[in-house]
Amino acid sequence: MAKMFIAGEWMESESGQVTEIRNPATGELVDTVPKGTEKDAQKAIDAAAEAYPKWSETSPEERAKVLDKAVDLINEKKQDLAVLLTKEQGKPVSESVREIDHFLHGMKFYAGLATKVRGAQVPLPEKGVYGMVLKQSIGVCGAIVPWNFPITLMGTKVGPALIAGNTVVVKPASTTPLTTLQCVEMIHRAGLPEGVLNIVTGPGSVVGEELLRNPKVRRIAFTGETKTGKHVMEIASQGIKRVTLELGGSDPMIVCDDANMKRALTGASVGRFYNCGQACLAIKRLYLFESIADEFIEQLKGKVQRLKLGNGLNEDTRVGPLHMEFQRKEVEEQVEDAKKKGAKVLIGGERPTGDEFDKGFFYLPTLLTDVPDSGRIVQEECFGPVLPIFRVKDLDEAIEKANSSSYGLGASIWTQNLARAHQAAERLQAGNVWINSLHIGYDELPFGGIKESGIGREHGPEALEYYLEPKGVVVATG
Ligand code: NAD
Protein backbone atom coordinates (compact mmCIF):
# COMPACT_ATOMS: atom_id res chain seq x y z
CA MET A 1 0.00 0.00 0.00
CA ALA A 2 1.27 3.47 -0.88
CA LYS A 3 1.17 6.08 1.89
CA MET A 4 0.72 9.84 2.09
CA PHE A 5 3.72 12.08 2.61
CA ILE A 6 3.24 14.57 5.45
CA ALA A 7 5.92 16.44 7.41
CA GLY A 8 8.64 14.33 5.79
CA GLU A 9 7.02 11.04 6.80
CA TRP A 10 4.99 8.36 5.07
CA MET A 11 1.59 8.12 6.74
CA GLU A 12 -1.65 6.22 6.59
CA SER A 13 -4.94 8.04 6.92
CA GLU A 14 -6.18 8.51 10.47
CA SER A 15 -9.36 6.76 9.29
CA GLY A 16 -7.42 3.66 8.22
CA GLN A 17 -9.41 3.64 4.97
CA VAL A 18 -7.86 3.20 1.53
CA THR A 19 -8.78 3.88 -2.10
CA GLU A 20 -8.00 1.34 -4.84
CA ILE A 21 -6.14 2.60 -7.89
CA ARG A 22 -6.99 0.55 -10.97
CA ASN A 23 -5.57 0.46 -14.49
CA PRO A 24 -8.17 2.06 -16.83
CA ALA A 25 -7.13 -0.31 -19.65
CA THR A 26 -7.57 -3.58 -17.75
CA GLY A 27 -9.31 -2.90 -14.45
CA GLU A 28 -6.33 -4.48 -12.65
CA LEU A 29 -5.45 -3.25 -9.18
CA VAL A 30 -2.26 -1.15 -9.33
CA ASP A 31 -2.04 -0.21 -5.65
CA THR A 32 -4.04 1.34 -2.82
CA VAL A 33 -3.58 4.76 -1.23
CA PRO A 34 -4.88 6.21 2.03
CA LYS A 35 -8.30 7.81 1.77
CA GLY A 36 -7.34 11.06 3.45
CA THR A 37 -9.72 12.92 5.77
CA GLU A 38 -10.13 16.51 6.91
CA LYS A 39 -7.84 15.74 9.86
CA ASP A 40 -5.14 14.35 7.55
CA ALA A 41 -5.35 17.51 5.44
CA GLN A 42 -5.10 19.64 8.59
CA LYS A 43 -2.00 17.72 9.65
CA ALA A 44 -0.36 18.51 6.29
CA ILE A 45 -1.41 22.16 6.40
CA ASP A 46 -0.03 22.50 9.95
CA ALA A 47 3.25 20.92 8.85
CA ALA A 48 3.48 23.34 5.90
CA ALA A 49 2.66 26.32 8.15
CA GLU A 50 5.33 25.28 10.64
CA ALA A 51 7.96 24.81 7.93
CA TYR A 52 7.15 28.13 6.21
CA PRO A 53 9.11 30.74 8.23
CA LYS A 54 12.41 28.91 7.89
CA TRP A 55 11.94 27.94 4.22
CA SER A 56 10.95 31.48 3.26
CA GLU A 57 14.26 32.67 4.69
CA THR A 58 16.46 30.24 2.75
CA SER A 59 18.39 31.81 -0.09
CA PRO A 60 16.91 31.48 -3.58
CA GLU A 61 20.11 29.74 -4.60
CA GLU A 62 19.57 27.07 -1.97
CA ARG A 63 16.00 26.51 -3.15
CA ALA A 64 17.19 26.17 -6.74
CA LYS A 65 19.81 23.60 -5.71
CA VAL A 66 17.10 21.38 -4.22
CA LEU A 67 14.99 21.50 -7.38
CA ASP A 68 18.02 20.82 -9.59
CA LYS A 69 18.96 17.79 -7.48
CA ALA A 70 15.33 16.59 -7.55
CA VAL A 71 15.37 16.78 -11.34
CA ASP A 72 18.44 14.49 -11.40
CA LEU A 73 16.88 11.99 -8.98
CA ILE A 74 13.59 11.82 -10.87
CA ASN A 75 15.34 11.62 -14.22
CA GLU A 76 17.21 8.49 -13.07
CA LYS A 77 13.88 6.78 -12.37
CA LYS A 78 12.04 8.19 -15.37
CA GLN A 79 11.26 4.94 -17.15
CA ASP A 80 9.83 3.24 -14.04
CA LEU A 81 7.82 6.33 -13.19
CA ALA A 82 6.45 6.46 -16.75
CA VAL A 83 5.22 2.87 -16.53
CA LEU A 84 3.55 3.60 -13.18
CA LEU A 85 1.92 6.72 -14.65
CA THR A 86 0.56 4.67 -17.55
CA LYS A 87 -0.81 2.04 -15.18
CA GLU A 88 -2.75 4.57 -13.12
CA GLN A 89 -3.70 7.02 -15.88
CA GLY A 90 -3.97 4.93 -19.05
CA LYS A 91 -1.92 7.00 -21.54
CA PRO A 92 0.73 5.28 -23.73
CA VAL A 93 4.13 4.94 -22.02
CA SER A 94 5.72 7.18 -24.69
CA GLU A 95 3.31 9.94 -23.61
CA SER A 96 4.07 9.29 -19.93
CA VAL A 97 7.79 9.70 -20.66
CA ARG A 98 7.03 12.98 -22.45
CA GLU A 99 4.94 14.16 -19.53
CA ILE A 100 7.74 13.47 -17.03
CA ASP A 101 10.26 15.17 -19.35
CA HIS A 102 7.99 18.21 -19.51
CA PHE A 103 7.72 18.22 -15.72
CA LEU A 104 11.52 18.05 -15.34
CA HIS A 105 12.01 20.82 -17.88
CA GLY A 106 9.56 23.00 -15.93
CA MET A 107 11.30 22.34 -12.62
CA LYS A 108 14.65 23.27 -14.18
CA PHE A 109 13.09 26.39 -15.66
CA TYR A 110 11.90 27.60 -12.23
CA ALA A 111 15.17 26.61 -10.56
CA GLY A 112 16.85 28.87 -13.13
CA LEU A 113 14.54 31.75 -12.26
CA ALA A 114 15.21 31.57 -8.51
CA THR A 115 17.94 34.19 -8.53
CA LYS A 116 16.29 36.39 -11.17
CA VAL A 117 13.39 37.78 -9.11
CA ARG A 118 13.51 41.59 -9.15
CA GLY A 119 11.80 44.20 -7.04
CA ALA A 120 12.00 47.91 -7.82
CA GLN A 121 13.12 51.29 -6.63
CA VAL A 122 10.50 53.95 -7.43
CA PRO A 123 10.88 57.73 -7.46
CA LEU A 124 8.15 59.51 -5.43
CA PRO A 125 6.87 63.13 -5.71
CA GLU A 126 8.38 64.45 -2.46
CA LYS A 127 12.02 65.36 -2.17
CA GLY A 128 14.02 62.92 -0.05
CA VAL A 129 11.42 60.20 -0.31
CA TYR A 130 11.48 57.13 -2.52
CA GLY A 131 9.60 53.88 -2.80
CA MET A 132 10.66 50.26 -3.01
CA VAL A 133 8.77 47.23 -4.22
CA LEU A 134 9.72 44.05 -2.37
CA LYS A 135 8.64 40.70 -3.73
CA GLN A 136 7.80 38.35 -0.88
CA SER A 137 6.48 34.82 -0.59
CA ILE A 138 2.86 34.26 0.40
CA GLY A 139 2.80 31.30 2.82
CA VAL A 140 1.13 27.91 2.59
CA CYS A 141 -0.11 27.07 -0.92
CA GLY A 142 -2.64 24.39 -1.80
CA ALA A 143 -1.99 22.71 -5.17
CA ILE A 144 -5.07 20.89 -6.47
CA VAL A 145 -4.28 18.74 -9.50
CA PRO A 146 -6.42 16.81 -12.04
CA TRP A 147 -5.80 13.32 -13.43
CA ASN A 148 -5.10 14.06 -17.10
CA PHE A 149 -1.51 15.35 -16.66
CA PRO A 150 -0.92 14.62 -12.97
CA ILE A 151 2.83 15.17 -13.01
CA THR A 152 3.28 18.23 -15.20
CA LEU A 153 0.34 19.98 -13.57
CA MET A 154 1.74 19.27 -10.13
CA GLY A 155 5.08 20.70 -11.32
CA THR A 156 3.57 23.89 -12.72
CA LYS A 157 2.40 24.65 -9.18
CA VAL A 158 5.09 23.18 -6.95
CA GLY A 159 8.05 24.54 -8.99
CA PRO A 160 7.23 28.26 -8.80
CA ALA A 161 5.70 27.96 -5.31
CA LEU A 162 8.86 26.49 -3.75
CA ILE A 163 11.24 28.74 -5.66
CA ALA A 164 9.35 31.79 -4.39
CA GLY A 165 9.80 30.56 -0.80
CA ASN A 166 6.33 29.15 -0.11
CA THR A 167 5.45 25.77 1.38
CA VAL A 168 2.96 23.46 -0.32
CA VAL A 169 0.28 20.85 0.25
CA VAL A 170 -0.45 18.86 -2.91
CA LYS A 171 -3.84 17.25 -3.46
CA PRO A 172 -3.60 14.92 -6.46
CA ALA A 173 -6.71 13.64 -8.24
CA SER A 174 -8.17 10.68 -6.36
CA THR A 175 -7.40 8.30 -9.24
CA THR A 176 -3.80 9.35 -10.07
CA PRO A 177 -1.80 9.78 -6.84
CA LEU A 178 0.88 7.08 -7.25
CA THR A 179 3.49 8.68 -9.53
CA THR A 180 2.95 12.00 -7.76
CA LEU A 181 3.75 10.39 -4.40
CA GLN A 182 7.02 9.03 -5.79
CA CYS A 183 8.01 12.38 -7.29
CA VAL A 184 7.19 14.33 -4.13
CA GLU A 185 9.30 11.93 -2.08
CA MET A 186 12.24 12.41 -4.46
CA ILE A 187 11.92 16.20 -4.30
CA HIS A 188 12.03 15.84 -0.54
CA ARG A 189 15.03 13.54 -0.72
CA ALA A 190 16.83 16.17 -2.79
CA GLY A 191 17.09 18.23 0.39
CA LEU A 192 13.77 19.88 1.23
CA PRO A 193 13.27 20.33 4.96
CA GLU A 194 10.35 18.35 6.36
CA GLY A 195 6.94 19.96 5.99
CA VAL A 196 7.92 22.14 3.01
CA LEU A 197 6.19 19.82 0.53
CA ASN A 198 3.37 17.50 1.60
CA ILE A 199 0.89 15.35 -0.24
CA VAL A 200 -2.52 14.25 0.97
CA THR A 201 -4.43 11.66 -1.05
CA GLY A 202 -8.20 11.44 -0.90
CA PRO A 203 -11.43 12.88 -2.26
CA GLY A 204 -11.62 16.45 -3.52
CA SER A 205 -14.79 17.02 -1.55
CA VAL A 206 -12.92 16.29 1.71
CA VAL A 207 -9.18 16.93 1.32
CA GLY A 208 -9.52 19.61 -1.39
CA GLU A 209 -12.32 21.29 0.49
CA GLU A 210 -10.17 21.57 3.63
CA LEU A 211 -7.45 23.30 1.59
CA LEU A 212 -10.05 25.80 0.37
CA ARG A 213 -11.46 26.49 3.84
CA ASN A 214 -8.45 26.31 6.17
CA PRO A 215 -7.32 29.85 7.06
CA LYS A 216 -3.66 28.80 7.20
CA VAL A 217 -3.71 28.22 3.42
CA ARG A 218 -3.16 31.58 1.74
CA ARG A 219 -3.01 30.60 -1.92
CA ILE A 220 -4.85 28.01 -4.03
CA ALA A 221 -3.58 26.83 -7.41
CA PHE A 222 -6.31 24.76 -9.03
CA THR A 223 -6.51 22.85 -12.31
CA GLY A 224 -9.70 21.03 -13.17
CA GLU A 225 -13.18 21.39 -14.52
CA THR A 226 -14.82 24.80 -14.82
CA LYS A 227 -17.67 23.65 -12.58
CA THR A 228 -15.27 22.71 -9.77
CA GLY A 229 -13.28 25.89 -10.42
CA LYS A 230 -16.34 28.04 -9.75
CA HIS A 231 -16.79 26.27 -6.41
CA VAL A 232 -13.08 26.70 -5.60
CA MET A 233 -13.30 30.43 -6.29
CA GLU A 234 -16.45 30.82 -4.22
CA ILE A 235 -15.09 29.07 -1.12
CA ALA A 236 -11.59 30.55 -1.40
CA SER A 237 -13.10 34.03 -1.65
CA GLN A 238 -14.45 33.66 1.89
CA GLY A 239 -10.89 33.62 3.18
CA ILE A 240 -9.66 36.15 0.54
CA LYS A 241 -7.19 33.54 -0.65
CA ARG A 242 -5.16 34.17 -3.78
CA VAL A 243 -6.49 31.88 -6.49
CA THR A 244 -5.39 30.79 -9.94
CA LEU A 245 -7.76 28.61 -11.94
CA GLU A 246 -6.76 26.55 -14.97
CA LEU A 247 -10.07 25.20 -16.22
CA GLY A 248 -11.78 23.52 -19.15
CA GLY A 249 -11.44 24.42 -22.79
CA SER A 250 -13.01 23.87 -26.20
CA ASP A 251 -10.12 24.87 -28.44
CA PRO A 252 -10.96 25.64 -32.08
CA MET A 253 -8.52 24.93 -34.92
CA ILE A 254 -9.02 26.95 -38.11
CA VAL A 255 -7.52 25.59 -41.34
CA CYS A 256 -7.47 28.14 -44.19
CA ASP A 257 -7.37 27.29 -47.89
CA ASP A 258 -3.66 28.19 -48.10
CA ALA A 259 -2.52 26.07 -45.13
CA ASN A 260 0.27 23.52 -45.34
CA MET A 261 -2.03 20.49 -45.46
CA LYS A 262 0.46 17.91 -44.24
CA ARG A 263 1.32 19.87 -41.11
CA ALA A 264 -2.29 20.81 -40.44
CA LEU A 265 -3.36 17.17 -40.71
CA THR A 266 -0.77 16.15 -38.12
CA GLY A 267 -1.86 19.11 -35.99
CA ALA A 268 -5.47 17.97 -36.04
CA SER A 269 -4.74 14.29 -35.45
CA VAL A 270 -2.18 14.70 -32.65
CA GLY A 271 -3.96 17.77 -31.28
CA ARG A 272 -7.23 15.91 -30.79
CA PHE A 273 -6.20 12.34 -30.00
CA TYR A 274 -3.14 12.84 -27.77
CA ASN A 275 -3.93 11.46 -24.28
CA CYS A 276 -7.14 10.03 -25.80
CA GLY A 277 -8.46 13.57 -26.22
CA GLN A 278 -8.22 14.24 -22.49
CA ALA A 279 -6.31 17.50 -22.58
CA CYS A 280 -7.56 20.96 -21.70
CA LEU A 281 -5.81 22.33 -24.79
CA ALA A 282 -6.88 19.51 -27.12
CA ILE A 283 -8.50 20.60 -30.38
CA LYS A 284 -12.19 20.19 -29.73
CA ARG A 285 -13.66 21.94 -32.81
CA LEU A 286 -12.16 21.87 -36.32
CA TYR A 287 -13.14 24.66 -38.77
CA LEU A 288 -12.15 24.02 -42.39
CA PHE A 289 -12.37 26.46 -45.29
CA GLU A 290 -14.99 25.07 -47.68
CA SER A 291 -12.66 24.72 -50.67
CA ILE A 292 -10.24 22.33 -48.90
CA ALA A 293 -12.72 20.59 -46.61
CA ASP A 294 -13.43 17.43 -48.66
CA GLU A 295 -9.79 16.60 -49.27
CA PHE A 296 -8.76 17.43 -45.70
CA ILE A 297 -11.49 15.26 -44.20
CA GLU A 298 -10.63 12.32 -46.46
CA GLN A 299 -6.96 12.44 -45.47
CA LEU A 300 -7.73 12.98 -41.79
CA LYS A 301 -9.98 9.93 -41.84
CA GLY A 302 -7.11 7.78 -43.08
CA LYS A 303 -4.71 9.21 -40.50
CA VAL A 304 -7.06 8.70 -37.56
CA GLN A 305 -8.02 5.20 -38.67
CA ARG A 306 -4.34 4.24 -38.46
CA LEU A 307 -4.05 5.30 -34.79
CA LYS A 308 -3.55 2.08 -32.82
CA LEU A 309 -5.95 1.81 -29.88
CA GLY A 310 -4.92 -0.33 -26.92
CA ASN A 311 -3.37 -0.78 -23.50
CA GLY A 312 -0.90 2.07 -22.89
CA LEU A 313 1.71 -0.50 -21.80
CA ASN A 314 1.91 -1.95 -25.35
CA GLU A 315 4.67 -0.30 -27.33
CA ASP A 316 2.62 0.24 -30.49
CA THR A 317 -0.36 1.87 -28.74
CA ARG A 318 -1.03 5.44 -29.84
CA VAL A 319 -4.41 5.95 -28.12
CA GLY A 320 -5.17 4.45 -24.71
CA PRO A 321 -8.48 4.11 -22.87
CA LEU A 322 -10.46 6.95 -21.36
CA HIS A 323 -9.51 7.42 -17.75
CA MET A 324 -12.89 6.69 -16.13
CA GLU A 325 -16.12 4.92 -16.96
CA PHE A 326 -18.35 7.88 -16.13
CA GLN A 327 -16.31 9.97 -18.49
CA ARG A 328 -16.74 7.47 -21.34
CA LYS A 329 -20.49 7.62 -20.71
CA GLU A 330 -20.41 11.40 -20.98
CA VAL A 331 -18.56 11.23 -24.32
CA GLU A 332 -21.09 8.65 -25.57
CA GLU A 333 -23.96 10.90 -24.54
CA GLN A 334 -22.41 13.87 -26.32
CA VAL A 335 -22.03 11.81 -29.52
CA GLU A 336 -25.60 10.46 -29.27
CA ASP A 337 -26.92 13.99 -28.77
CA ALA A 338 -25.03 15.16 -31.88
CA LYS A 339 -26.37 12.23 -33.91
CA LYS A 340 -29.94 12.97 -32.84
CA LYS A 341 -29.46 16.55 -34.01
CA GLY A 342 -28.28 15.45 -37.48
CA ALA A 343 -24.55 14.77 -37.12
CA LYS A 344 -22.89 12.15 -39.34
CA VAL A 345 -20.33 9.73 -37.89
CA LEU A 346 -17.44 9.45 -40.36
CA ILE A 347 -15.46 6.97 -38.31
CA GLY A 348 -15.76 5.57 -34.79
CA GLY A 349 -18.76 6.65 -32.76
CA GLU A 350 -18.77 3.50 -30.63
CA ARG A 351 -16.75 1.26 -28.32
CA PRO A 352 -14.24 -1.09 -29.95
CA THR A 353 -14.95 -4.82 -29.78
CA GLY A 354 -12.55 -7.61 -28.85
CA ASP A 355 -11.19 -9.26 -25.70
CA GLU A 356 -8.39 -6.72 -25.24
CA PHE A 357 -10.95 -3.93 -24.89
CA ASP A 358 -13.50 -5.68 -22.68
CA LYS A 359 -12.26 -4.56 -19.30
CA GLY A 360 -11.07 -1.06 -20.18
CA PHE A 361 -12.81 2.26 -20.84
CA PHE A 362 -12.04 2.30 -24.56
CA TYR A 363 -13.81 4.38 -27.19
CA LEU A 364 -12.92 4.50 -30.88
CA PRO A 365 -11.32 7.67 -32.24
CA THR A 366 -14.27 9.45 -33.82
CA LEU A 367 -14.81 12.09 -36.50
CA LEU A 368 -18.18 13.86 -36.83
CA THR A 369 -19.54 16.23 -39.47
CA ASP A 370 -22.80 18.16 -39.79
CA VAL A 371 -22.95 18.83 -36.05
CA PRO A 372 -25.32 21.73 -35.33
CA ASP A 373 -23.96 24.55 -33.15
CA SER A 374 -26.60 23.64 -30.57
CA GLY A 375 -25.01 20.18 -30.07
CA ARG A 376 -23.72 19.44 -26.57
CA ILE A 377 -20.36 18.54 -28.09
CA VAL A 378 -20.04 22.13 -29.33
CA GLN A 379 -21.46 23.86 -26.27
CA GLU A 380 -19.67 21.75 -23.65
CA GLU A 381 -16.11 20.56 -23.29
CA CYS A 382 -15.71 17.10 -24.88
CA PHE A 383 -13.04 15.24 -22.89
CA GLY A 384 -12.51 12.25 -25.16
CA PRO A 385 -11.39 11.13 -28.64
CA VAL A 386 -14.11 12.82 -30.69
CA LEU A 387 -13.58 15.61 -33.20
CA PRO A 388 -16.51 17.55 -34.68
CA ILE A 389 -15.65 19.12 -38.07
CA PHE A 390 -17.30 22.24 -39.52
CA ARG A 391 -17.09 24.01 -42.88
CA VAL A 392 -16.71 27.79 -43.04
CA LYS A 393 -16.70 30.19 -45.99
CA ASP A 394 -13.98 32.59 -44.79
CA LEU A 395 -11.89 33.81 -41.86
CA ASP A 396 -14.63 36.05 -40.48
CA GLU A 397 -17.06 33.18 -40.18
CA ALA A 398 -14.36 30.92 -38.73
CA ILE A 399 -13.43 33.45 -36.05
CA GLU A 400 -17.05 34.20 -35.21
CA LYS A 401 -17.76 30.49 -34.68
CA ALA A 402 -14.48 29.91 -32.86
CA ASN A 403 -15.34 32.72 -30.44
CA SER A 404 -18.90 31.56 -29.86
CA SER A 405 -17.82 29.28 -26.97
CA SER A 406 -18.03 30.12 -23.28
CA TYR A 407 -14.47 28.79 -23.06
CA GLY A 408 -11.35 30.71 -24.05
CA LEU A 409 -8.30 28.57 -23.40
CA GLY A 410 -6.51 28.07 -26.72
CA ALA A 411 -7.07 28.37 -30.47
CA SER A 412 -5.01 27.82 -33.59
CA ILE A 413 -4.90 29.20 -37.11
CA TRP A 414 -3.27 27.35 -40.00
CA THR A 415 -2.37 29.58 -42.96
CA GLN A 416 0.67 30.78 -44.90
CA ASN A 417 -0.75 34.28 -45.15
CA LEU A 418 0.97 36.47 -42.57
CA ALA A 419 -1.80 39.06 -42.41
CA ARG A 420 -4.46 36.40 -41.81
CA ALA A 421 -2.36 34.78 -39.12
CA HIS A 422 -1.83 38.03 -37.24
CA GLN A 423 -5.46 39.08 -37.56
CA ALA A 424 -6.58 35.76 -36.16
CA ALA A 425 -4.08 35.88 -33.29
CA GLU A 426 -5.53 39.25 -32.27
CA ARG A 427 -9.20 38.43 -32.77
CA LEU A 428 -9.41 34.91 -31.33
CA GLN A 429 -10.79 35.01 -27.80
CA ALA A 430 -8.28 32.74 -26.10
CA GLY A 431 -5.45 32.92 -23.61
CA ASN A 432 -3.15 31.14 -26.06
CA VAL A 433 -2.98 31.17 -29.87
CA TRP A 434 -0.86 28.89 -32.02
CA ILE A 435 -0.01 29.81 -35.62
CA ASN A 436 0.71 26.72 -37.72
CA SER A 437 1.66 24.91 -34.56
CA LEU A 438 0.41 22.08 -32.37
CA HIS A 439 -1.45 23.15 -29.23
CA ILE A 440 1.43 22.68 -26.80
CA GLY A 441 2.14 24.42 -23.49
CA TYR A 442 5.71 25.71 -23.14
CA ASP A 443 7.38 26.36 -19.79
CA GLU A 444 8.81 29.58 -21.20
CA LEU A 445 5.43 31.12 -22.10
CA PRO A 446 2.50 32.12 -19.91
CA PHE A 447 -0.38 29.66 -20.23
CA GLY A 448 -3.98 30.08 -19.10
CA GLY A 449 -7.49 30.88 -20.12
CA ILE A 450 -9.90 33.76 -20.50
CA LYS A 451 -13.71 33.62 -20.17
CA GLU A 452 -14.72 30.41 -18.35
CA SER A 453 -11.34 28.78 -18.96
CA GLY A 454 -9.76 30.38 -15.96
CA ILE A 455 -7.98 33.14 -14.13
CA GLY A 456 -4.25 33.70 -13.82
CA ARG A 457 -1.39 32.00 -15.61
CA GLU A 458 0.84 28.98 -15.15
CA HIS A 459 4.20 28.56 -16.92
CA GLY A 460 6.60 31.34 -17.79
CA PRO A 461 8.15 33.89 -15.44
CA GLU A 462 4.59 35.25 -15.18
CA ALA A 463 3.56 32.22 -13.09
CA LEU A 464 6.23 32.99 -10.50
CA GLU A 465 4.60 36.38 -9.88
CA TYR A 466 1.43 34.59 -8.73
CA TYR A 467 3.45 33.08 -5.87
CA LEU A 468 4.89 36.42 -4.74
CA GLU A 469 3.25 39.43 -3.07
CA PRO A 470 4.61 42.84 -4.01
CA LYS A 471 5.08 44.97 -0.90
CA GLY A 472 5.32 48.76 -1.23
CA VAL A 473 7.85 50.37 1.11
CA VAL A 474 8.30 54.13 1.51
CA VAL A 475 11.71 55.40 2.57
CA ALA A 476 12.15 58.98 3.80
CA THR A 477 15.80 59.91 3.71
CA GLY A 478 15.53 63.58 4.70
P1 NAD B 1 -12.07 18.01 -11.47
O1 NAD B 1 -12.54 19.42 -11.37
O2 NAD B 1 -13.07 16.93 -11.32
O3 NAD B 1 -10.96 17.71 -10.37
C1 NAD B 1 -9.76 18.45 -10.29
C2 NAD B 1 -9.19 18.34 -8.88
O4 NAD B 1 -10.08 19.00 -7.98
C3 NAD B 1 -9.06 16.90 -8.37
O5 NAD B 1 -7.89 16.78 -7.59
C4 NAD B 1 -10.30 16.76 -7.49
O6 NAD B 1 -10.16 15.77 -6.50
C5 NAD B 1 -10.38 18.16 -6.89
N1 NAD B 1 -11.69 18.53 -6.34
C6 NAD B 1 -12.91 18.04 -6.67
N2 NAD B 1 -13.86 18.60 -5.89
C7 NAD B 1 -13.24 19.49 -5.10
C8 NAD B 1 -13.69 20.39 -4.07
N3 NAD B 1 -14.96 20.48 -3.69
N4 NAD B 1 -12.77 21.16 -3.45
C9 NAD B 1 -11.46 21.09 -3.80
N5 NAD B 1 -10.98 20.24 -4.73
C10 NAD B 1 -11.85 19.45 -5.38
O7 NAD B 1 -11.29 17.90 -12.85
P2 NAD B 1 -10.69 16.59 -13.53
O8 NAD B 1 -11.80 15.79 -14.09
O9 NAD B 1 -9.72 15.94 -12.59
O10 NAD B 1 -9.81 17.22 -14.70
C11 NAD B 1 -10.29 17.44 -15.99
C12 NAD B 1 -10.61 18.92 -16.20
O11 NAD B 1 -9.44 19.71 -15.96
C13 NAD B 1 -11.04 19.25 -17.61
O12 NAD B 1 -12.11 20.16 -17.58
C14 NAD B 1 -9.80 19.93 -18.21
O13 NAD B 1 -10.04 20.78 -19.29
C15 NAD B 1 -9.27 20.65 -17.02
N6 NAD B 1 -7.86 20.98 -17.20
C16 NAD B 1 -7.49 22.28 -17.40
C17 NAD B 1 -6.14 22.60 -17.63
C18 NAD B 1 -5.70 24.01 -17.87
O14 NAD B 1 -4.51 24.25 -17.78
N7 NAD B 1 -6.58 24.94 -18.16
C19 NAD B 1 -5.20 21.57 -17.67
C20 NAD B 1 -5.62 20.26 -17.48
C21 NAD B 1 -6.95 19.97 -17.22
Side-chain angles (χ1 to χ4, degrees), residues 143-150 152-153 156-157 171-176 202-213 220 222-229 231-232 235 245-250 277-282 284 323-324 326-327 381-383 407 409 432 447-449 452-454 458-459:
I144 305 178
V145 184
W147 48 262
N148 63 338
F149 292 97
T152 45
L153 293 171
T156 53
K157 298 165 181 58
K171 185 348 228 158
S174 313
T175 48
T176 51
S205 56
V206 179
V207 175
E209 199 71 26
E210 180 60 27
L211 287 174
L212 304 183
R213 292 182 189 273
I220 296 286
F222 172 83
T223 302
E225 276 192 62
T226 294
K227 192 168 153 229
T228 323
H231 173 75
V232 167
I235 304 302
L245 302 172
E246 296 285 344
L247 308 177
S250 181
Q278 305 165 114
C280 56
L281 46 58
K284 295 175 186 144
H323 181 61
M324 282 182 280
F326 101 86
Q327 205 201 324
E381 176 177 43
C382 175
F383 224 52
Y407 294 105
L409 189 58
N432 315 269
F447 178 85
E452 293 205 4
S453 286
E458 290 198 336
H459 300 283

Side-chain angles (χ1 to χ4, degrees), residues 23 25-26 86 90-94 308-320 356-357 362:
N23 184 331
T26 60
T86 290
K91 63 182 67 182
V93 173
S94 57
K308 176 97 174 70
L309 190 67
N311 185 332
L313 294 174
N314 300 340
E315 219 171 285
D316 57 348
T317 293
R318 289 293 161 269
V319 181
E356 59 182 313
F357 301 118
F362 291 96

Side-chain angles (χ1 to χ4, degrees), residues 52 110 135-144 153-168 219-222 242-244 457-470:
Y52 173 64
Y110 285 107
K135 298 269 183 79
Q136 297 187 312
S137 55
I138 298 174
V140 178
C141 302
I144 305 178
L153 293 171
M154 182 257 296
T156 53
K157 298 165 181 58
V158 165
L162 292 181
I163 282 302
N166 302 287
T167 55
V168 186
R219 158 91 167 88
I220 296 286
F222 172 83
R242 275 71 185 133
V243 172
T244 47
R457 294 292 179 263
E458 290 198 336
H459 300 283
E462 288 80 0
L464 195 53
E465 297 294 327
Y466 287 95
Y467 290 91
L468 292 162
E469 287 285 17

